[in-house]
Amino acid sequence: MRKFLIAAAVIVIAVLASIAATVGGALGPLFNGVRSLAEFYLLNVFNPHNQTLTAMSPEAVTSIVWDYRGLDTLFETVVFYMAIIGCVSLHRGIELIRKRSEAGLSRIVKTVTKILIPLNIVIAASIALHGHLTPGGGFQAGAAMAVAPIIVIVVFSRFFLLRKGVTKEVALSLRSMGLLGIALVALIPLIAWVTTGSAAYVMQNQVKADSSFSFPAYIGGSLVSGSLIWYNIFEFLAVTFGFTIVFLLLSVDEETVRKVLGGEEHE
Amino acid sequence: MVDLTMVLLAVFAGIALFFAYLAISERNLVRALIYSAVQSSAFAFIFYLLRAPDIVLVYVPISVGIYPAAILFLIRKTKEVEEP
């Protein structure tokens, strides 16, 4: 009874607080027009008439994430990278053996999964490749794509994924390729600076006031928004295979992990 | 002032609060995880109502797929029922 009273009190306080914050106006008016910062981005994210401030992408969020605030996202990617490295080094010495195994859920579930996995891949690829045009982007697409290996591990077992060639080594190298791609796209302006001698900035996308370097905004007539599409594709690779490694390692049963990590005294 | 968005926001926030309480008070970890996933799904709707489709796109696979799967794998490595 006492527990129930506490819960009821918490709910009443939360409801009153949210009414005060929204309808009562305790936090100031919500949904009240466009703020000046938002106005700047809405005006400039796709503005061919103002080449020095535009990101040439109609998607404001991706423009901010990978162009205006690109370094923040770079460091976020590094944090994610370190987390995966931590997981991999915790599971060091564990070999993911490939063996023939018919483990997994029933035939009905397997058939449904076989139909759904290609759809998942198509949706994830479309989120990544349209990340500079519609809501979405590299991390969103990577998270959507990472669901596919998880479902395969749960429905078909880890050995099926390993037999299909998605091993820890393959996933690690594809993820490293994604990260190297991000670093390369960030450093291409530097290469342009060395070769042509005109000023350029790290993670630069379009021309700036004192720099003539620019990624091509259009390729073959279609809008690619300069560096944004490349960042999205490489982030997609890095996130997808980062999650895949974690789930491959997490699916190893605890006895094996303890045996390898415990060392001699536990054997 | 009180429009449909506000009402829906309140409804989904209420659902999230209720399931958060259930997730905390539940001793069976698998059930607690399912309550927590329902709470995350309610948050995804809230993000959609707040017009943040970018966050929704990352929140749906994380809250419905990756987060429950990761915790389920971890629960399998420990005990299913929390001891008092």
Side-chain angles (χ1 to χ4, degrees), chain B residues 22-78:
Chain B
L22 283 182
I24 292 168
S25 58
E26 178 64 53
R27 289 238 173 264
N28 184 316
L29 293 176
V30 177
R31 272 191 212 155
L33 171 68
I34 292 167
Y35 295 144
S36 184
V38 174
Q39 177 223 344
S40 307
S41 313
F43 280 0
F45 278 106
I46 290 175
F47 280 125
Y48 182 74
L49 291 169
L50 292 173
R51 301 173 202 176
D54 292 82
I55 308 293
V56 175
L57 276 177
V58 71
Y59 214 87
V60 166
I62 294 281
S63 71
V64 181
I66 293 171
Y67 160 69
I71 306 289
L72 268 180
F73 277 125
L74 293 177
I75 289 173
R76 206 182 61 163
K77 285 169 180 278
T78 166

Side-chain angles (χ1 to χ4, degrees), chain A residues 113-176:
Chain A
T113 311
K114 274 180 195 160
I115 298 168
L116 287 180
I117 292 291
L119 281 177
N120 192 324
I121 294 171
V122 168
I123 289 169
S126 117
I127 295 175
L129 295 173
H130 291 160
H132 58 292
L133 301 173
T134 53
F139 190 84
Q140 287 88 332
M145 183 72 182
V147 173
I150 293 168
I151 292 176
V152 170
I153 287 173
V154 172
V155 173
F156 290 90
S157 88
R158 166 176 94 249
F159 307 110
F160 180 84
L161 202 63
L162 293 172
R163 268 212 310 280
K164 291 289 171 196
V166 188
T167 60
K168 192 178 109 185
E169 287 72 29
V170 169
L172 260 176
S173 48
L174 277 169
R175 190 196 65 129
S176 305

Side-chain angles (χ1 to χ4, degrees), chain A:
Chain A
M1 187 63 196
R2 194 162 159 247
K3 234 167 137 189
F4 178 77
L5 278 178
I6 293 171
V10 168
I11 290 174
V12 167
I13 289 170
V15 168
L16 286 180
S18 32
I19 288 174
T22 52
V23 186
L27 293 176
L30 298 175
F31 309 125
N32 189 18
V34 181
R35 290 171 198 165
S36 54
L37 185 66
E39 240 169 48
F40 170 83
Y41 286 122
L42 289 175
L43 180 68
N44 284 316
V45 282
F46 186 80
N47 189 349
H49 306 295
N50 188 355
Q51 286 282 335
T52 56
L53 284 179
T54 184
M56 289 305 283
S57 158
E59 224 282 270
V61 175
T62 302
S63 309
I64 294 170
V65 161
W66 278 121
D67 189 354
Y68 297 103
R69 292 283 173 270
L71 277 178
D72 293 11
T73 315
L74 197 69
F75 289 128
E76 270 170 40
T77 308
V78 171
V79 169
F80 185 69
Y81 170 82
M82 296 311 277
I84 306 287
I85 286 291
C87 182
V88 172
S89 66
L90 264 181
H91 290 81
R92 65 191 174 279
I94 294 167
E95 278 183 40
L96 296 167
I97 38 160
R98 277 187 237 194
K99 66 174 184 190
R100 280 209 76 78
S101 155
E102 295 303 319
L105 302 180
S106 72
R107 194 177 197 145
I108 300 167
V109 184
K110 284 185 177 176
T111 313
V112 172
T113 311
K114 274 180 195 160
I115 298 168
L116 287 180
I117 292 291
L119 281 177
N120 192 324
I121 294 171
V122 168
I123 289 169
S126 117
I127 295 175
L129 295 173
H130 291 160
H132 58 292
L133 301 173
T134 53
F139 190 84
Q140 287 88 332
M145 183 72 182
V147 173
I150 293 168
I151 292 176
V152 170
I153 287 173
V154 172
V155 173
F156 290 90
S157 88
R158 166 176 94 249
F159 307 110
F160 180 84
L161 202 63
L162 293 172
R163 268 212 310 280
K164 291 289 171 196
V166 188
T167 60
K168 192 178 109 185
E169 287 72 29
V170 169
L172 260 176
S173 48
L174 277 169
R175 190 196 65 129
S176 305
M177 231 170 74
L179 288 163
L180 280 176
I182 292 173
L184 190 73
V185 177
L187 293 178
I188 278 178
L190 212 66
I191 299 168
W193 169 66
V194 171
T195 50
T196 63
S198 82
Y201 301 98
V202 171
M203 291 201 89
Q204 185 179 347
N205 181 5
Q206 299 296 309
V207 289
K208 295 281 166 276
D210 54 351
S211 163
S212 60
F213 176 81
S214 171
F215 278 94
Y218 292 89
I219 290 181
S222 49
L223 183 67
V224 297
S225 306
S227 59
L228 298 187
I229 189 172
W230 307 113
Y231 283 129
N232 277 337
I233 291 172
F234 289 126
E235 175 88 355
F236 172 52
L237 263 183
V239 171
T240 304
F241 288 101
F243 277 126
T244 308
I245 299 167
V246 170
F247 280 99
L248 273 177
L249 290 173
L250 277 183
S251 64
V252 180
D253 60 305
E254 185 65 5
E255 277 175 31
T256 321
V257 177
R258 272 172 195 270
K259 217 182 266 173
V260 176
L261 293 187
E264 285 167 11
E265 67 219 66
H266 287 275
E267 277 178 11

